[in-house]
Amino acid sequence: MKSVLFITSLILTAILWFLFSFIIGCLAFWFENLFFVLLVKEVFISLLAGYYFPLSILPNIWNKLLNILPFKYFSSYPVTII
């Protein structure tokens, strides 16, 4: 049962990552050089998704904020399913 939930969460994570990257990529219409925007996107998502440290060690107010935002579904949520 957990493996089905994990695979489903990975598929939904890939879709979410594609849609988020697509939205940021649409900024290429207005910017001549998109490298800095993509770099900031990667760092921002990495910090808020829990790539560098577990999100559970953050203060309670930050956890409440991150539960509203979709960034935890990039890495923190699939890892908690396992």
Side-chain angles (χ1 to χ4, degrees):
M1 181 66 181
K2 284 190 177 186
S3 63
V4 173
L5 289 174
F6 179 69
I7 292 171
T8 305
S9 71
L10 284 182
I11 292 170
L12 292 174
T13 297
I15 293 170
L16 182 64
W17 183 265
F18 171 77
L19 291 174
F20 194 75
S21 295
F22 179 76
I23 290 170
I24 298 297
C26 285
L27 292 174
F29 184 75
W30 288 286
F31 292 109
E32 185 174 316
N33 188 0
L34 200 61
F35 175 75
F36 183 71
V37 175
L38 295 176
L39 182 70
V40 168
K41 176 194 77 133
E42 293 292 329
V43 170
F44 188 70
I45 289 176
S46 296
L47 285 173
L48 296 179
Y51 287 1
Y52 301 130
F53 53 86
L55 297 177
S56 60
I57 66 170
L58 293 175
N60 195 17
I61 192 153
W62 283 99
N63 277 328
K64 287 180 182 178
L65 177 67
L66 290 176
N67 283 334
I68 296 170
L69 299 173
F71 298 113
K72 72 177 182 177
Y73 298 111
F74 286 124
S75 75
S76 181
Y77 188 73
V79 169
T80 57
I81 290 177
I82 291 179

